Amino acid sequence: MIVALDHIAIAVPDLEKAISRFAEDFGLEYHGREDVESAKTSTAFFPLPATSIELVHPLKGEGPIAKYLEKKPGGLHHLCFRSDNLEADVVRLQKKGYQFLSDTPQPGAHGCKVIFIHPKCCDGVLIELNQPSANAHL
Ligand code: CO
């Protein structure tokens, strides 16, 4: 039986830069590095509270997921981090040079406000930030 999503791995060309992005820019708890000799990899972990798997499919055959599926057969599309103050996080990250796919947060699933960071700012990974509405049940 599958009991948990244990981790998501992102391949990064500059580990120190990526650690500072997740620890300082995104404010995640950093649990340190480990070199795994047998796998010839250096790893860094950022544990997170319980999460969800989101399956995304084009609505009425249109939109960004339709465009994505024209190029790929499917795949890992984005990571989403929850914010408790989305507008403030957007301003803070813009000052650090992050570019967003829209000027302001947009309505998302569960009544959340959402905004996406351009993947070129995050080693090719599309990152969504969301903030639940006050009465959302996640
Ligand atoms: Co999402």
Side-chain angles (χ1 to χ4, degrees):
M1 178 173 23
I2 302 294
V3 295
L5 172 64
D6 191 84
H7 63 268
I8 296 160
I10 302 170
V12 297
D14 183 334
L15 184 57
E16 291 306 325
K17 193 172 162 193
I19 288 170
S20 104
R21 177 185 313 131
F22 282 92
E24 285 151 41
D25 299 350
F26 296 167
L28 301 188
E29 190 183 343
Y30 174 43
H31 266 214
R33 289 180 53 165
E34 181 184 350
D35 290 344
V36 186
E37 296 285 351
S38 60
K40 296 187 169 70
T41 54
S42 286
T43 67
F45 278 87
F46 300 84
L48 289 165
T51 186
S52 294
I53 295 286
E54 175 187 30
L55 304 178
V56 284
H57 181 78
L59 177 64
K60 298 173 186 162
E62 297 174 345
I65 303 302
K67 290 201 183 86
Y68 177 92
L69 292 174
E70 283 168 13
K71 290 178 239 155
K72 297 180 182 184
L76 185 59
H77 186 259
H78 63 268
L79 305 184
C80 178
F81 294 114
R82 192 177 305 156
S83 167
D84 59 5
N85 189 337
L86 190 56
E87 275 78 9
D89 279 329
V90 168
V91 169
R92 187 177 61 76
L93 291 169
Q94 278 173 332
K95 283 187 187 145
K96 287 175 170 273
Y98 287 88
Q99 292 174 37
F100 290 83
L101 298 188
S102 60
D103 293 332
T104 55
Q106 306 294 315
H110 306 124
C112 288
K113 294 181 290 184
V114 309
I115 194 164
F116 288 87
I117 301 173
H118 197 293
K120 74 183 178 187
C121 304
C122 303
D123 293 324
V125 177
L126 178 61
I127 292 186
E128 174 184 11
L129 304 176
N130 77 4
Q131 182 176 7
S133 66
N135 55 2
H137 301 286
L138 294 179

